[in-house]
Amino acid sequence: MVGIVGYGTYVPTYRIKVEEIALQWGDDPESIKKGLLLKEKTVPGPDEDTITISVQASKYALQRAEIDPKDIGSVYVGSESHPYAVKPSGTVVADALGIGPEVHVADFEFACKAGSEAMYAAYSHVKSKNMPYALAVGADTSQGAPDDALEYTAAAGGTAFIMGDNGKTIADILVTYSYTSDTADFWRREHQFYPQHTGRFTGEPAYFRHVLATARETLRRGNVAPEEIAYAIFHMPNGKFPLRVGKMMGFTMEQLEPGWVVPRMGNTYSGSSLTGLAATLDIAKPGDKILMVSFGSGAASDGFILSVNERINEVRRKAPTFEEMIESNKIYLNYGQYAKFRKKIIMNS
Amino acid sequence: MPSPRYTREIPQRFRLEAVKCDKDGKIYFPPRTGCISGKCKKFTPIKLKEEGSVLTYTVIHVAPTQFEAQTPYIVGIVELDDKVSITCQIVDCSPDEVEIGKRVRVVFRKIQEEGDHGIICYGYKCVLIR
């Protein structure tokens, strides 16, 4: 059966706490932390971007997949922060990993859904027997405008999945489903540095409508009830939304917590739900069923149901787990360092 | 760095590709077309190991323009486990954490940008193994 043969996550070393950002803008940190259910977020180092994050996550995925990179037929990188406006991220990722040159490469964009979009395309290629393996990455180093609510959540990180059908899948993909409508809840026009959003309109008509419709239909198509799902992951723009949608669907905190990575990491946009899935695979047992629902503004959701296989126990330790990366080697930045790293201020050069 | 030269150096900068002399087993990085003895031109391509130890290092406080935002930063000479030395930045740590002999791992990072309009150059750096 077609499924995931390798997965890898990358979490940058640098972090900034909610308190540090709130201090700059005269906000009450306790009220921000309570409102967003978030303590701190990851920040890319000055030499990190979507490409470097994608390379590291994919390297870990290859370590777990134990396959020849040359057998990978496609490389799809989903992000809303591709370093170039014109020149693909995927070509760098493919060359850095020794994939190709006989490979199909494309960059995907769909706000926070670009990563699951890449997964969907990669899965479909393998399912239609176009290629033995396909690599899908969701990674971002997104920006939130200074003194905007997004500044507390816009984080950096990414996750890669290698799809295959070699009889050694870590988790089989049982169901896929997508739900899309034209909804202008969040966007960034060409040449603009920061995105715009519609505040509360990003909730009910955007996130909740698409995520709920996708979760319900994905479960219906899989003929699976919420109580038969071991773990569920919903896109995490903040801490609150995924918990609320989980509760509305009838999931318990035990089902949601392993993939609820946002309180310690922030929203990694295209990497968000994918990183939640990777963190869940880190602790899942053979036989567990997992529901993942992404969300991208604009707007759409992709739903996946996966069934975990015995091989998870063989490959889990072949690369760092999410927990190891999120808790080890943290370097906290003050706001000045953060503003310099993220090029939010004009330096004298 | 002019983009044609950068593109030609991708195998060594992205994937640590080197060559090993078929006659005396000496490893050359970056790859060469002839042995230093001048007697051999037969090589086998190899990929260098991605872990090693810090041989020596320095801390840069006054940097060239494109690296100014990173000061203070560390540049070290790292001996990889196949005894090949590379010069690179040691990142994701403060200068007082680095010591000669500490174990490091090679990572793929952005090296520099050719201003706001040029290409972005990627390559290898090292991080401490903790």
Side-chain angles (χ1 to χ4, degrees):
Chain A
M1 201 165 188
V2 180
I4 294 167
V5 297
Y7 73 98
T9 287
Y10 177 70
V11 179
T13 296
Y14 294 99
R15 316 286 157 87
I16 188 164
K17 288 179 186 282
V18 162
E19 284 88 346
E20 184 63 30
I21 300 173
L23 184 70
Q24 303 304 313
W25 306 114
D27 292 335
D28 172 19
E30 290 312 312
S31 130
I32 301 281
K33 284 201 276 189
K34 206 174 149 194
L36 297 173
L37 291 183
L38 186 127
K39 293 186 288 187
E40 60 192 49
K41 68 168 189 174
T42 52
V43 180
D47 58 356
E48 292 186 301
D49 60 19
T50 287
I51 288 175
T52 65
I53 289 170
S54 299
V55 168
Q56 196 59 55
S58 303
K59 208 174 228 185
Y60 291 148
L62 275 165
Q63 285 175 23
R64 287 194 171 105
E66 299 178 305
I67 60 166
D68 183 349
K70 296 280 181 209
D71 289 337
I72 291 177
S74 70
V75 172
Y76 297 140
V77 180
S79 180
E80 64 144 55
S81 49
H82 291 289
Y84 285 96
V86 179
K87 187 188 177 303
S89 301
T91 52
V92 187
V93 174
D95 247 333
L97 298 168
I99 299 170
E102 290 181 334
V103 61
H104 184 249
V105 172
D107 287 359
F108 285 55
E109 281 192 19
F110 198 140
C112 297
K113 195 183 80 77
S116 65
E117 211 168 66
M119 284 174 69
Y120 197 105
Y123 162 75
S124 302
H125 267 307
V126 176
K127 196 178 176 191
S128 61
K129 303 193 186 302
N130 278 345
M131 54 190 66
Y133 302 105
L135 171 67
V137 190
D140 258 308
T141 58
S142 297
Q143 288 274 31
D147 202 17
D148 185 293
L150 280 181
E151 195 180 22
Y152 290 101
T153 56
T159 291
F161 292 106
I162 299 170
M163 302 297 179
D165 187 13
N166 60 358
K168 291 164 77 180
T169 49
I170 294 166
D172 295 327
I173 294 177
L174 307 180
V175 183
T176 60
Y177 174 75
S178 291
Y179 183 93
T180 308
S181 77
D182 186 27
T183 307
D185 59 319
F186 172 102
W187 62 92
R188 181 166 61 84
R189 294 281 302 275
E190 187 135 50
H191 308 304
Q192 297 302 302
F193 197 62
Y194 299 115
Q196 301 286 325
H197 59 88
T198 51
R200 293 182 68 182
F201 185 78
T202 60
E204 294 300 337
Y207 180 89
F208 289 99
R209 176 187 166 203
H210 294 82
V211 172
L212 278 171
T214 301
R216 285 177 182 140
E217 185 59 17
T218 306
L219 290 178
R220 195 193 68 76
R221 291 187 180 202
N223 197 22
V224 185
E227 54 271 24
E228 295 172 85
I229 293 285
Y231 302 106
I233 301 108
F234 300 101
H235 172 59
M236 292 161 271
N238 53 55
K240 240 176 189 174
F241 279 20
L243 292 192
R244 199 171 134 205
V245 88
K247 201 174 165 190
M248 289 162 89
M249 288 294 301
F251 290 107
T252 63
M253 199 57 204
E254 287 69 34
Q255 290 168 295
L256 299 170
E257 200 151 31
W260 188 55
V261 297
V262 62
R264 291 182 290 167
M265 187 179 201
N267 176 10
T268 52
Y269 285 60
S270 302
S272 173
S273 50
L274 280 68
T275 302
L277 175 57
T280 303
L281 287 171
D282 284 343
I283 56 96
K285 297 182 298 301
D288 283 348
K289 283 194 171 66
I290 300 173
L291 170 71
M292 184 193 103
V293 180
S294 66
F295 172 74
S297 290
S301 284
D302 294 329
F304 294 81
I305 295 176
L306 304 100
S307 178
V308 180
N309 295 329
E310 291 285 342
R311 188 163 161 78
I312 188 71
N313 293 329
E314 293 169 43
V315 305
R316 187 177 281 138
R317 303 303 315 165
K318 292 187 187 292
T321 63
F322 169 79
E323 196 59 36
E324 286 163 358
M325 282 182 282
I326 198 77
E327 286 304 324
S328 69
N329 189 29
K330 290 196 245 188
I331 300 178
Y332 285 101
L333 301 173
N334 61 36
Y335 195 87
Q337 293 168 313
Y338 164 72
K340 188 168 84 166
F341 275 28
R342 300 304 290 130
K343 297 182 178 171
K344 284 172 179 260
I345 47 174
I346 299 168
M347 304 292 287
N348 194 7
S349 61
Chain B
M1 190 185 302
S3 48
R5 180 183 145 195
Y6 168 74
T7 302
R8 276 196 286 269
E9 291 176 351
I10 278 177
Q12 70 226 40
R13 290 185 184 276
F14 281 23
R15 298 188 297 272
L16 291 178
E17 287 185 8
V19 289
K20 193 172 185 176
C21 177
D22 286 355
K23 201 172 177 186
D24 61 14
K26 206 171 166 59
I27 297 171
Y28 291 98
F29 181 79
R32 295 170 59 106
T33 52
C35 200
I36 205 155
S37 64
K39 291 175 186 165
C40 178
K41 285 192 174 177
K42 280 191 174 174
F43 296 99
T44 304
I46 62 160
K47 192 178 173 307
L48 299 180
K49 293 200 163 52
E50 294 191 1
E51 290 188 7
S53 305
V54 177
L55 271 186
T56 186
Y57 68 96
T58 186
V59 181
I60 308 289
H61 293 274
V62 181
T65 314
Q66 66 268 42
F67 297 97
E68 272 176 352
Q70 296 178 44
T71 57
Y73 63 89
I74 306 142
V75 173
I77 296 176
V78 167
E79 186 180 72
L80 299 174
D81 287 346
D82 32 24
K83 302 292 173 199
V84 173
S85 298
I86 58 169
T87 304
C88 64
Q89 274 181 254
I90 299 170
V91 294
D92 290 359
C93 62
S94 66
D96 54 6
E97 286 178 277
V98 183
E99 284 172 23
I100 289 171
K102 273 204 170 176
R103 296 288 294 164
V104 293
R105 181 185 303 115
V106 175
V107 290
F108 184 82
R109 292 293 170 91
K110 190 162 67 179
I111 305 296
Q112 62 171 327
E113 296 177 13
E114 289 184 326
D116 290 335
H117 301 281
I119 62 163
I120 306 168
C121 302
Y122 296 89
Y124 53 82
K125 294 188 182 180
C126 280
V127 294
L128 297 176
I129 298 175
R130 295 166 198 270

